[in-house]
Amino acid sequence: LPNAALVAASCASAGSVRGYDELFPANPSVVFERRQYPLLQVQATELGGVKDDGALEESPQASEALKEEEELEITWGHEAKGSVVVHGSWDEWKGPLHLSKRSDGKWAASLNVARSKLPAQYKFIVDGTWTVDQSLPTAGDGYGNQNNLLVGGHTVKSEVTGPDLLVNTLSGMLSVKQILNMLHHKLGCEGYTEIGVQFLADDVLAVERRAPDTDRSMWFVVRSAFWRQRLGDRLADGTAVLEIDGAISHVHVAATLFVSDEHEAKFKEDPQSLKGLDCFLRVHSSIGEVADLWQEGSSTKLRLTRFPPGSVLVFSAASAEETRRHAAVMQLLSAGEIKRPLKGLALHELNYLLFSCSAEELDRSNGERGAYDVPGLGPLAYCGLLGVCAALDEARFQCLEAELLDSPVAKNVRQGDWLIRCLATRLADMPGLEEVRAWLEKAEALISSGPRQLAPFYFDLLVPALCAAAGEALLQASSTFVVTCSNGSTLV
């Protein structure tokens, strides 16, 4: 399994055979073998995380992460004669937190910490001596001191979606190979042209494939299984912590494959069909089952915890810059931000924002500006937001999904910021739309700060959202007849 993951991570053509994927003890002869493979009932599998158009999927637990406080527990699992006390950054290192000895011999205490204070640093005072627990996550404080790190259950984990594989339904490692093959194809098609390798331990390897155009990465972390004592789960002392630029966005697969001596001894050839060894393939349901995560500055730290030989962990990550940009876009799209500049606008102002044909625009600008002319498409129907949105809708209707980025509107947005700049600057001719213009200028800054390959995605996310909000404001500002009939009347 680790070897299969490393092959999937490679920048090269790759292939396999069922004999390898189903753990045959010996390669079947391609000349003399007459038995057939048994038929498989394979279900379609889809990758999550980063969509083909560049969208980052939102975590289903996102609302949970918005809670103000989190109840956490701190434990000391080593010897102590009389007392264990903790001081931490959650209260500026002021009040001591006294730990009590439990029946299992460990010292523990619970506390509520504001999520805004996480991750927090803390340090133990054991029998009057300041110390850290090296078996728990640690971090430096910038002054040469080392402290333990209190991560919290949702500080990082709640933002990580996945995995793509939750149930193993096929023989051997075929279920995982489905995911790995799809990822290998994705890496080749979407410009993941850079590769880097880190050794975390003698038998633990981390391979990063990075797409320079989109600043995204995919990581393959594997632990080889070449030792005879293959049940030893314990990682070697000194196994390095993996540092990831930005944030982990999605886990594709986390799994462990184990083939014991007993599995090999019990294997018997089937005279009718080709079958491989029995095995134990454990599919993990979350990244928290194999590793601890915490944020440190703009980086994410990953410490493997339960990662036996024969394990793989594959995940996607977004750079710190992309994570900040995505958060800024989500903030701009929030109900408060998008409705605030539209509040109180008159019908003629909303009409100008949404519509205005070319003749009206030429008249208002003294002949300097008409409808925006998209190369390969022609002038837009309206100079306002609905002219752009109509062109985007037409592109979706006429183009296949793979062709959308080559449509005239998407190509124009990818090549430069002229279209959104035109939408913003034209609002200077209508007093009262200053706040809407400022919103569009923020959107332009976000689009221009990212990779040009992602510009059409962010444009299509931001501009239609403002258009929809403006359309809703137009209806609400209309007469009672229009408001009450807008949902049921084809005329209105």
Side-chain angles (χ1 to χ4, degrees):
L1 183 61
N3 187 58
L6 292 177
V7 170
S10 65
C11 297
S13 299
S16 185
V17 294
R18 280 186 61 176
Y20 184 88
D21 297 341
E22 293 193 64
L23 312 176
F24 281 33
N27 289 329
S29 171
V30 296
V31 177
F32 301 107
E33 184 59 69
R34 293 293 181 265
R35 292 173 297 170
Q36 295 184 346
Y37 293 105
L39 292 177
L40 295 176
Q41 299 296 324
V42 180
Q43 296 180 347
T45 304
E46 293 185 359
L47 297 177
V50 181
K51 301 177 184 177
D52 292 338
D53 58 7
L56 291 175
E57 288 187 354
E58 292 299 308
S59 166
Q61 297 86 11
S63 60
E64 176 71 16
L66 296 177
K67 290 182 179 179
E68 293 183 358
E69 287 190 344
E70 183 171 348
E71 184 176 355
L72 301 170
E73 184 180 61
I74 294 177
T75 60
W76 173 260
H78 309 285
E79 291 185 5
K81 295 179 180 178
S83 68
V84 179
V85 179
V86 165
H87 285 263
S89 61
W90 50 81
D91 64 351
E92 308 300 330
W93 302 88
K94 294 176 182 176
L97 177 67
H98 294 274
L99 278 66
S100 302
K101 194 171 185 179
R102 301 188 309 203
S103 58
D104 61 1
K106 293 183 178 180
W107 298 72
S110 298
L111 73 162
N112 291 320
V113 182
R115 293 193 187 279
S116 59
K117 298 285 188 180
L118 294 172
Q121 295 193 17
Y122 65 97
K123 206 159 191 172
F124 294 95
I125 305 178
V126 181
D127 298 329
T129 303
W130 288 87
T131 186
V132 297
D133 187 343
Q134 294 293 345
S135 66
L136 300 174
T138 59
D141 63 358
Y143 299 96
N145 301 310
Q146 189 182 43
N147 302 312
N148 282 115
L149 198 67
L150 188 64
V151 179
H154 295 281
T155 305
V156 174
K157 295 176 186 176
S158 65
E159 299 176 2
V160 181
T161 58
D164 298 328
L165 178 65
L166 286 170
V167 180
N168 176 38
T169 58
L170 300 175
S171 57
M173 58 181 182
L174 281 171
S175 293
V176 178
K177 279 299 292 287
Q178 271 189 291
I179 303 296
L180 294 177
N181 288 341
M182 294 171 68
L183 292 174
H184 185 73
H185 180 263
K186 177 185 178 73
L187 295 173
C189 292
E190 298 183 11
Y192 287 76
T193 55
E194 299 178 354
I195 188 167
V197 180
Q198 295 184 39
F199 278 92
L200 305 183
D202 288 343
D203 59 346
V204 181
L205 189 67
V207 179
E208 178 189 15
R209 285 285 297 273
R210 181 176 174 275
D213 290 340
T214 59
D215 212 16
R216 292 202 180 96
S217 296
M218 191 174 295
W219 288 86
F220 296 75
V221 184
V222 305
R223 186 178 182 190
S224 61
F226 297 127
W227 321 117
R228 289 308 298 172
Q229 284 73 32
R230 287 165 290 182
L231 275 174
D233 289 1
R234 188 173 181 274
L235 289 153
D237 293 337
T239 298
V241 172
L242 180 62
E243 182 172 351
I244 300 137
D245 178 33
I248 297 175
S249 57
H250 185 80
V251 176
H252 296 287
V253 63
T256 300
L257 176 68
F258 175 67
V259 181
S260 69
D261 295 332
E262 186 177 353
H263 286 140
E264 295 182 22
K266 287 183 177 180
F267 175 75
K268 292 182 180 180
E269 293 278 357
D270 189 320
Q272 303 299 324
S273 60
L274 290 165
K275 294 182 180 178
L277 293 168
D278 288 334
C279 66
F280 173 70
L281 178 63
R282 179 181 181 186
V283 178
H284 302 285
S285 61
S286 71
I287 195 171
E289 292 186 16
V290 298
D292 287 332
L293 298 178
W294 68 94
Q295 208 75 26
E296 194 168 304
S298 62
S299 299
T300 299
K301 297 294 186 72
L302 183 149
R303 184 199 296 274
L304 295 172
T305 54
R306 292 164 291 279
F307 205 63
S311 297
V312 300
L313 170 63
V314 185
F315 57 85
S316 292
S319 70
E321 181 59 35
E322 187 189 5
T323 303
R324 285 192 291 269
R325 184 167 53 251
H326 184 68
V329 169
M330 292 299 104
Q331 173 64 24
L332 202 58
L333 288 172
S334 65
E337 283 292 315
I338 205 167
K339 290 182 178 180
R340 179 178 48 78
L342 301 171
K343 189 175 182 180
L345 293 183
L347 283 173
H348 72 282
E349 294 167 333
L350 290 166
N351 177 72
Y352 181 70
L353 173 63
L354 288 167
F355 301 101
S356 189
C357 67
S358 185
E360 292 175 303
E361 199 81 359
L362 285 167
D363 181 61
R364 185 173 275 108
S365 63
N366 295 321
E368 293 182 1
R369 183 183 64 249
Y372 188 89
D373 194 337
V374 179
L377 180 67
L380 297 175
Y382 296 108
C383 303
L385 298 176
L386 272 172
V388 182
C389 292
L392 290 170
D393 288 340
E394 185 68 18
R396 292 190 192 93
F397 179 75
Q398 291 187 349
C399 300
L400 298 174
E401 186 175 355
E403 299 170 346
L404 275 175
L405 283 177
D406 292 322
S407 64
V409 177
K411 189 179 295 184
N412 183 260
V413 171
R414 188 169 63 250
Q415 291 172 346
D417 299 318
W418 311 293
L419 180 50
I420 193 167
R421 189 173 300 130
C422 177
L423 292 173
T425 55
R426 65 179 291 272
L427 300 185
D429 292 339
M430 177 61 69
L433 295 179
E434 293 84 3
E435 289 192 43
V436 181
R437 180 181 179 182
W439 191 97
L440 281 168
E441 287 173 345
K442 288 181 182 178
E444 179 190 349
L446 286 171
I447 293 171
S448 62
S449 68
R452 294 314 307 180
Q453 190 72 14
L454 295 181
F457 160 68
Y458 284 119
F459 184 94
D460 189 40
L461 193 65
L462 292 162
V463 175
L466 179 63
C467 182
E472 180 65 23
L474 181 70
L475 280 176
Q476 296 303 321
S478 300
S479 66
T480 304
F481 167 76
V482 173
V483 174
T484 54
C485 296
S486 60
N487 292 326
S489 170
T490 55
L491 172 64
V492 176

